[in-house]
Amino acid sequence: MFFVHSARPVLASGENLITNPDLEITDNTGLPQDWIKGRWGTNTTVFEYPVLGVNSSKAARVSISSYSSGDAKWKFADLAVTPGHEYQFSDFYTSDISSYITIQFKKSDGTFSYKDIGHPGPARDFQKFTATFIVPANTETLSIFHLLNAVGTLTTDEFELKDITALPPPPPDSNNLISNPSFEYSNGAGTSPVKWSKGNWGSNTSTFIFPISGYQSSNAAEIQMNAYSSGDAKWYFDEVPVNPGEAYSFSDFYKSNTKTYITVRFKQTDGTFKFLDIGTVEASTDWQTFSNTFTVAANTVSLTIFHLLKNNGTLAVDAYSLKKIESDPSKFSTGMVSIHFDDGWRSAYENAVPILNAQGFKSTNFIVSGRLNPNYPGYIQSPELLALQAQGHEIGAHTRTHPDLTTLSTSQMQNEIVGSRNDLTDIGITPVNFFAYPYGAYNTQTKSVVQNAGFSAARSSDGGYNLKTQDLSALRRQSMTSNTTFAQAKNYIDTAMNDKTWVILLFHEVNYTGNQYSVSPELFQEIVDYLASKDITPVTLGQGVALMQ
Ligand SMILES: [Zn+2]
């Protein structure tokens, strides 16, 4: 036999097994429903019901005025129990003498055994008695007697019997960054959870309560708020160190009778705080879970999260979890979009580049250097190319004459690849770090020549999205042609952003010819407007390559 504090960290599995435990229900004979008068031996005993209770109008009393043997008690009807399980019993009582608490176990063969679990002294005001015990083998049912066996008076109320057999503990979650996330550890007095703080400001009356019965555990924490006119109140966990840009998932369990709010508090390097609202949840009488993900704000050193009350009402919280979302190493920290123009079409320079410039967006332009002369009026010329560079757009090489490189000898390849680079640097384009294969055609040999020429990356015409691990000599693209719709372009962008990959949108002509590799200025404008509306700033090839592995 031993006595327990209410904060003992057991995993309570049970509801109160006693029916009519507070004796509030009276049956049609005027007795408390499911309760029985018990007496034996030589004594003069009076049973009284109802008398005033602990927190209620009804309790039961037994008074012995003369005594030589036996005992007297109110007892609850036998309850089925499970041998080997641990139970917790409690009640409230007042008495002018010492009383006894004894369990009567009924065995499967119909016999009884008894176990004394307490001998509390007199109590003028209602006192709580609590004990735990394990049900012996072969027991089918039990009752518990809070009894008198001497001259005196005993009043009892608010009985409770629960199966507290420890459930298998949840596997320790080493990824949860919150200390004491389920409030199971309290200070020595059992009155406050370790690693948690109470927060309250504004004009309101807030009461912090600990412990209360938890979600799948013995302890949780509660706040009650009255007289609210401003501010809020919350329990919050000790600061967790984090780094800007990291992604986290947060969850907790709650019960409340009013709307409540979840806010991340980021502690900044200068000691000030930034706040991010991540949720609002409606009242729930049963334990409910809330979860959301968020990204750590710039200049943050640590964070905590408030599940807060800012209305009159009650909020219980439990089972917090904060986990870092480990990123896929092949994914970028954010999705990326690039805009490429191939060949140096004048229509792109005249119709599309001004749309980009209006947004401050930069493009990457792969130039066929042999067309930088007046014999090719459909293409921009050197002064315009230099102006494009001066506006911050990126220039790459795309051979001298736009051949299919895979059909050439090595020396012809070198002439086209190295030669185009020299042509561009000769007119003042610098740096020329990137190359695009005409028709997207490449093989091992062309890749090798491009690499040896000192280009740090090359773009193919293979369709798709780039991961961090994509071959730098064969970056993928999505081709924008006369058949491309805005919905298709939007899908390319959304896919890259959602999947944290990098999509290169490849344009050629931007005009109304309807040529196969032409898109309309309207469609181009629509795509740029969409990027701007999503706060997506296109990256140049250099910016994208710098983020690859
Ligand atoms: Zn081309």
Side-chain angles (χ1 to χ4, degrees):
M1 177 189 83
F2 61 98
F3 300 92
V4 296
H5 295 286
S6 57
R8 182 169 176 259
V10 290
L11 300 171
S13 55
E15 299 294 309
N16 191 355
L17 299 170
I18 302 173
T19 56
N20 194 20
D22 50 11
L23 303 107
E24 291 304 288
I25 303 169
T26 305
D27 70 17
N28 55 18
T29 69
L31 294 175
Q33 183 180 300
D34 297 324
W35 287 81
I36 302 154
K37 297 172 186 173
R39 195 198 68 77
W40 66 277
T42 304
N43 53 69
T44 306
T45 295
V46 175
F47 291 90
E48 291 175 83
Y49 174 81
V51 298
L52 194 62
V54 54
N55 271 323
S56 59
S57 56
K58 296 178 186 174
R61 180 174 294 157
V62 59
S63 303
I64 296 180
S65 55
S66 74
Y67 180 88
S68 58
S69 68
D71 68 37
K73 65 273 175 180
W74 289 92
K75 62 181 187 181
F76 55 83
D78 275 7
L79 298 171
V81 290
T82 308
H85 277 210
E86 186 178 21
Y87 289 79
Q88 179 174 290
F89 170 77
S90 64
D91 71 354
F92 284 83
Y93 66 96
T94 63
S95 176
D96 55 4
I97 60 165
S98 290
S99 57
Y100 291 82
I101 294 107
T102 299
I103 309 170
Q104 181 189 58
F105 297 109
K106 186 179 183 186
K107 306 288 200 181
S108 45
D109 63 4
T111 62
F112 294 100
S113 70
Y114 295 88
K115 180 181 176 66
D116 293 333
I117 56 169
H119 182 38
R124 183 191 305 265
D125 299 317
F126 273 106
Q127 285 276 345
K128 187 176 189 180
F129 169 83
T130 304
T132 64
F133 60 91
I134 293 176
V135 173
N138 303 317
T139 301
E140 286 192 337
T141 63
L142 64 73
S143 184
I144 297 177
F145 308 152
H146 193 155
L147 63 86
L148 278 188
N149 58 5
V151 172
T153 298
L154 168 68
T155 305
T156 49
D157 197 7
E158 301 274 325
F159 286 75
E160 185 177 63
L161 180 67
K162 294 196 294 192
D163 184 342
I164 58 163
T165 305
L167 300 168
D173 190 344
S174 56
N175 295 324
N176 188 353
L177 298 166
I178 300 172
S179 298
N180 195 18
S182 293
F183 299 95
E184 295 311 292
Y185 299 94
S186 52
N187 64 347
T191 52
S192 65
V194 299
K195 309 284 190 185
W196 287 83
S197 301
K198 302 166 184 175
N200 180 217
W201 66 277
S203 176
N204 58 70
T205 305
S206 289
T207 309
F208 291 81
I209 299 163
F210 175 84
I212 63 161
S213 185
Y215 168 74
Q216 294 189 345
S217 65
S218 41
N219 296 347
E222 187 174 272
I223 309 163
Q224 293 174 358
M225 184 176 277
N226 299 300
Y228 178 84
S229 62
S230 67
D232 66 41
K234 62 273 177 183
W235 290 91
Y236 62 97
F237 54 84
D238 281 7
E239 296 275 336
V240 173
V242 294
N243 295 305
E246 291 172 343
Y248 286 86
S249 62
F250 170 76
S251 64
D252 71 356
F253 283 81
Y254 65 94
K255 286 194 290 190
S256 78
N257 58 11
T258 184
K259 186 181 283 194
T260 58
Y261 303 83
I262 300 93
T263 298
V264 184
R265 187 184 74 177
F266 296 116
K267 187 176 185 182
Q268 306 279 285
T269 47
D270 64 3
T272 62
F273 296 110
K274 267 191 184 168
F275 297 89
L276 175 68
D277 294 331
I278 58 168
T280 303
V281 289
E282 300 298 327
S284 174
T285 51
D286 298 320
W287 286 106
Q288 264 295 339
T289 189
F290 165 80
S291 67
N292 204 350
T293 61
F294 62 90
T295 302
V296 175
N299 303 314
T300 299
V301 292
S302 60
L303 66 79
T304 185
I305 295 175
F306 302 151
H307 192 152
L308 61 85
L309 191 55
K310 52 179 179 180
N311 286 306
N312 289 334
T314 300
L315 167 65
V317 289
D318 198 7
Y320 278 60
S321 171
L322 178 69
K323 293 179 184 177
K324 188 177 174 190
I325 300 169
E326 295 299 342
S327 52
D328 181 336
S330 70
K331 300 291 182 71
F332 295 93
S333 62
T334 177
M336 297 189 294
V337 178
S338 287
I339 293 175
H340 285 194
F341 297 108
D342 271 13
D343 306 340
W345 292 94
R346 172 167 299 278
S347 67
Y349 180 74
E350 291 180 345
N351 298 329
V353 170
I355 293 171
L356 294 177
N357 288 346
Q359 287 292 349
F361 290 173
K362 305 306 178 195
S363 61
T364 300
N365 300 266
F366 289 97
I367 302 300
V368 182
S369 63
R371 297 178 187 170
L372 289 170
N373 72 61
N375 295 332
Y376 293 89
Y379 298 84
I380 59 172
Q381 304 302 303
S382 298
E384 293 155 321
L385 189 61
L386 289 166
L388 195 60
Q389 176 174 257
Q391 291 162 8
H393 297 278
E394 191 174 48
I395 314 293
H398 194 39
T399 71
R400 282 182 151 151
T401 67
H402 210 273
D404 177 346
L405 292 169
T406 62
T407 66
L408 304 186
S409 70
T410 302
S411 64
Q412 287 172 319
M413 274 189 213
Q414 282 171 333
N415 179 51
E416 287 285 350
I417 293 165
V418 180
S420 69
R421 182 183 208 185
N422 293 339
D423 292 345
L424 293 172
T425 55
D426 285 351
I427 64 166
I429 302 299
T430 180
V432 182
N433 289 336
F434 309 111
F435 185 83
Y437 307 103
Y439 314 106
Y442 67 96
N443 57 24
T444 312
Q445 178 68 6
T446 52
K447 280 166 72 172
S448 161
V449 173
V450 167
Q451 285 167 6
N452 291 337
F455 290 105
S456 47
R459 205 206 65 234
S460 72
S461 291
D462 299 336
Y465 302 86
N466 296 294
L467 295 167
K468 269 187 169 181
T469 48
Q470 178 65 29
D471 178 359
L472 278 174
S473 295
L475 294 172
R476 297 170 182 276
R477 60 91 180 108
Q478 298 289 8
S479 186
M480 310 300 290
T481 71
S482 58
N483 292 324
T484 305
T485 61
F486 172 69
Q488 181 61 64
K490 177 179 177 298
N491 180 258
Y492 291 147
I493 294 165
D494 292 345
T495 300
M497 298 310 289
N498 291 337
D499 295 348
K500 300 190 173 186
T501 59
W502 176 20
V503 67
I504 295 170
L505 302 180
L506 172 58
F507 296 85
H508 288 81
E509 296 178 83
V510 181
N511 56 25
Y512 300 104
T513 60
N515 291 340
Q516 185 186 355
Y517 290 103
S518 168
V519 302
S520 71
E522 278 79 3
L523 176 57
F524 191 82
Q525 179 77 59
E526 203 172 3
I527 292 166
V528 169
D529 288 348
Y530 181 69
L531 292 170
S533 76
K534 293 286 177 181
D535 284 328
I536 300 166
T537 300
V539 296
T540 62
L541 195 62
Q543 288 168 332
V545 165
L547 296 170
M548 294 182 69
Q549 292 172 340

